[in-house]
Amino acid sequence: MTSRKGSSRNLHTQVVENLGESIVGGVFQPGDPLPGEAQLANELAVSRTVLREALKVLAAKGLIETRQKTGMRVRDSRYWNHLDADVLGWRCASLPTDDFVEKLVEMREIVEPAAVMTAARRREPAQLEAIREALAAMEDAQTLDEWAEADLHFHQAVLLATNNELLSSLFSVIETALGTFFVMSARTAKNFKYSLPHHRAVYEAIRRRRPNEAAAAMHTMIEDSRANMRKSRRRK
Amino acid sequence: MTSRKGSSRNLHTQVVENLGESIVGGVFQPGDPLPGEAQLANELAVSRTVLREALKVLAAKGLIETRQKTGMRVRDSRYWNHLDADVLGWRCASLPTDDFVEKLVEMREIVEPAAVMTAARRREPAQLEAIREALAAMEDAQTLDEWAEADLHFHQAVLLATNNELLSSLFSVIETALGTFFVMSARTAKNFKYSLPHHRAVYEAIRRRRPNEAAAAMHTMIEDSRANMRKSRRRK
DNA sequence: CAGATCATATTTGTTGGACAATTGACAAGC
DNA sequence: GCTTGTCAATTGTCCAACAAATATGATCTG
């Protein structure tokens, strides 16, 4: 069952994911020299051209650096683009550590309350409507998957309503955080809608242009989800 | 004067920068189809192999997408990795708009006060020492360049002291924000050390483990720099 | 023997060409 | 009008060769 989920579009994409997971997953430690292009291409059964395209992408994400004669080395994790969606994903490929999950929540606590404050001030009608639609989808959700999708849309719509694309780009972090949350709390799938009131409160505060209320509601929501994760973590 | 600053290391790096600036700079609008690989390689006078390595990097940064038969298209800016250091840099290649500068400051106001709070709680001795050294370098700075370098080190050291690499990765944004600030306030080079007391206050608060004081000091510092930029902008 | 100098081999960087795979567009047939 | 199938254009993949850089070790020199 070596068939990729659906990532078999391009060969270099597969190679990027393969090597990316290996590096982020610690198979290759920072400082370690990777096998040369020729050998690596052989091992992965791809041409050197394809391999090199993949290596350039990994270098662009800060994971490796290459120099002539010396070869390729895994860069210190201090230089990785930790906010890159792929890097975040690779980090959660093999169940994320509790430590990392806590860092994700920490980011949410910094970013999302600030984002809803900004959104409450600057949201345009169409952006508010997008948030409302996401909220409606959450209310109508019948399965955990439907809920998860609508939930992601809600938080993305909030970020977009800030009208600051730098802030919106942090959605990759929120997406990863929520994703791990869904996985961890999959067993408590009974009442997966428990956070609906929190979301409604955030929406209402944004609609009524009340930055502080929005931030407070968002803060409560995140604190709640953190507590829930701690619970299901202990249960494990 | 077509000689690059020093980026002439690799051909594909040059191509990435060339195309990246063109896309971010608006020469190619989102939705626009780029010329085919063959033609583009001819125009840039590089082999198709090199061009493709560059295109993969740009695709990794979310700037373009490629499909067979259809060709390449510039993606909607909603999908760009705005937090990527290169993308941020390209955005400031031709003097950044006031709008973008304001977004940068907005990010600072969200990230840095939160970061100093976390740093005040979790900093380790070596990390505090790194902040102190940066502060000392700022005190000793004789030129604007020396000051700028030390200032960057200070803010980076603070982010590292949070012990959250996701937060630390946002240094690319702070770096860009400070960089534009240095450029804009170059004419007021007389008293470029005016923010030294703010920095010292931040350091002291972190040293004494006072999260709230640290956040307040950082907030004041950023508000001050925003006011200064508005002034020098109006002067222009 | 210590140190500098130089040749060499190894690795990445770059090129050109060839063929495969995908797919939009168009034409043919029902 | 709709479906179906062919065609052509474009990216995807592979290969083989050479250029450029540079770590290593050999050689030369004091």
Side-chain angles (χ1 to χ4, degrees):
Chain A
M1 194 65 71
T2 58
S3 69
R4 313 275 171 181
K5 313 161 198 173
S7 64
S8 52
R9 291 179 311 222
N10 302 329
L11 250 185
H12 42 258
T13 302
Q14 293 178 33
V15 174
V16 166
E17 290 180 3
N18 186 347
L19 291 178
E21 272 188 30
S22 295
I23 293 173
V24 174
V27 177
F28 299 105
Q29 293 289 331
D32 276 0
L34 272 62
E37 291 182 353
Q39 181 180 344
L40 204 50
N42 269 345
E43 290 177 6
L44 299 176
V46 298
S47 69
R48 196 162 81 100
T49 309
V50 167
L51 175 66
R52 278 180 59 82
E53 286 175 4
L55 293 177
K56 292 308 157 199
V57 171
L58 293 175
K61 295 183 189 298
L63 296 186
I64 63 175
E65 63 183 346
T66 79
R67 272 170 45 195
Q68 280 181 179
K69 175 66 179 179
T70 309
M72 304 170 290
R73 303 176 74 89
V74 177
R75 293 234 284 172
D76 190 285
S77 64
R78 160 170 62 249
Y79 300 110
W80 296 358
N81 289 7
H82 292 283
L83 302 175
D84 181 278
D86 289 329
V87 175
L88 286 168
W90 296 330
R91 215 149 157 189
C92 296
S94 57
L95 277 190
T97 63
D98 292 351
D99 179 61
F100 181 60
V101 171
E102 179 53 35
K103 287 173 181 171
L104 285 170
V105 177
E106 194 168 286
M107 287 295 285
R108 284 192 66 189
E109 277 191 324
I110 294 173
V111 171
E112 294 205 285
V116 293
M117 287 188 74
T118 308
R121 292 198 199 92
R122 289 213 287 260
R123 93 283 190 300
E124 295 161 12
Q127 294 166 338
L128 181 66
E129 173 61 14
I131 300 175
R132 198 198 59 73
E133 283 177 9
L135 185 63
M138 292 173 79
E139 289 169 346
D140 296 344
Q142 300 294 329
T143 69
L144 179 59
D145 281 348
E146 284 177 20
W147 168 268
E149 186 187 346
D151 196 4
L152 284 176
H153 279 138
F154 181 91
H155 290 267
Q156 182 168 39
V158 167
L159 285 178
L160 288 174
T162 63
N163 284 297
N164 183 335
E165 63 274 20
L166 299 174
L167 213 38
S168 303
S169 282
L170 282 170
F171 176 64
S172 56
V173 179
I174 277 77
E175 186 178 22
T176 306
L178 291 175
T180 65
F181 176 71
F182 293 141
V183 172
M184 292 182 67
S185 64
R187 60 187 66 197
T188 67
K190 301 302 175 186
N191 57 338
F192 56 80
K193 280 186 173 180
Y194 77 96
S195 71
L196 188 54
H198 292 318
H199 285 81
R200 202 178 342 244
V202 168
Y203 165 73
E204 280 298 325
I206 293 178
R207 184 180 67 78
R208 298 167 60 200
R209 296 189 182 280
R210 303 283 168 82
N212 290 329
E213 294 177 16
M218 180 58 90
H219 180 73
T220 306
M221 186 200 299
I222 298 171
E223 207 50 55
D224 208 59
S225 96
R226 163 183 276 152
N228 251 49
M229 282 200 321
R230 288 222 173 104
K231 215 187 306 178
S232 68
R233 197 184 303 162
R234 210 173 301 127
R235 198 176 299 153
K236 172 188 59 181
Chain B
M1 192 69 71
T2 59
S3 70
R4 313 275 171 181
K5 313 161 199 172
S7 64
S8 52
R9 289 179 311 222
N10 302 328
L11 252 186
H12 41 256
T13 301
Q14 293 178 33
V15 175
V16 165
E17 291 180 2
N18 186 346
L19 291 178
E21 272 188 30
S22 294
I23 294 174
V24 174
V27 178
F28 300 105
Q29 294 288 332
D32 277 1
L34 272 64
E37 291 181 353
Q39 181 181 343
L40 205 50
N42 268 348
E43 290 177 6
L44 299 175
V46 298
S47 69
R48 194 162 83 100
T49 308
V50 166
L51 175 65
R52 279 181 58 83
E53 287 174 3
L55 293 176
K56 292 308 157 200
V57 171
L58 293 175
K61 295 183 188 300
L63 297 186
I64 63 175
E65 64 183 344
T66 78
R67 272 170 45 196
Q68 283 181 176
K69 174 66 179 180
T70 309
M72 303 171 290
R73 304 176 75 87
V74 177
R75 293 233 286 171
D76 190 283
S77 64
R78 161 171 61 250
Y79 299 110
W80 296 358
N81 288 8
H82 293 283
L83 302 175
D84 181 279
D86 290 328
V87 175
L88 286 168
W90 295 332
R91 231 166 139 172
C92 296
S94 58
L95 277 191
T97 63
D98 292 352
D99 178 61
F100 181 59
V101 172
E102 179 53 34
K103 287 173 181 172
L104 285 171
V105 177
E106 194 168 287
M107 287 295 285
R108 284 191 66 190
E109 277 192 321
I110 294 173
V111 171
E112 294 205 284
V116 292
M117 287 188 74
T118 308
R121 291 197 200 93
R122 289 212 287 259
R123 92 281 190 301
E124 296 161 11
Q127 293 166 339
L128 181 65
E129 174 60 15
I131 300 174
R132 197 198 60 72
E133 283 177 10
L135 186 63
M138 292 174 78
E139 289 169 346
D140 296 344
Q142 300 294 329
T143 69
L144 180 58
D145 281 348
E146 285 177 19
W147 168 269
E149 185 186 347
D151 196 4
L152 284 176
H153 279 138
F154 181 91
H155 290 267
Q156 181 168 38
V158 167
L159 285 178
L160 288 174
T162 64
N163 284 299
N164 183 336
E165 64 273 21
L166 299 175
L167 214 38
S168 303
S169 282
L170 282 169
F171 177 65
S172 56
V173 179
I174 277 76
E175 186 178 22
T176 306
L178 291 175
T180 65
F181 175 71
F182 293 141
V183 173
M184 292 183 67
S185 62
R187 60 187 65 196
T188 67
K190 302 300 175 188
N191 56 339
F192 56 79
K193 279 186 174 180
Y194 77 97
S195 71
L196 188 53
H198 293 317
H199 285 81
R200 200 174 349 239
V202 168
Y203 165 73
E204 280 298 324
I206 292 178
R207 184 181 68 78
R208 297 168 60 201
R209 296 191 182 279
R210 303 284 168 85
N212 290 328
E213 295 177 15
M218 180 58 90
H219 180 73
T220 306
M221 185 199 300
I222 298 172
E223 205 51 55
D224 209 59
S225 97
R226 163 183 276 151
N228 250 49
M229 282 199 322
R230 286 219 175 106
K231 218 187 305 178
S232 68
R233 198 184 302 162
R234 209 172 302 126
R235 198 175 301 154
K236 171 187 59 180

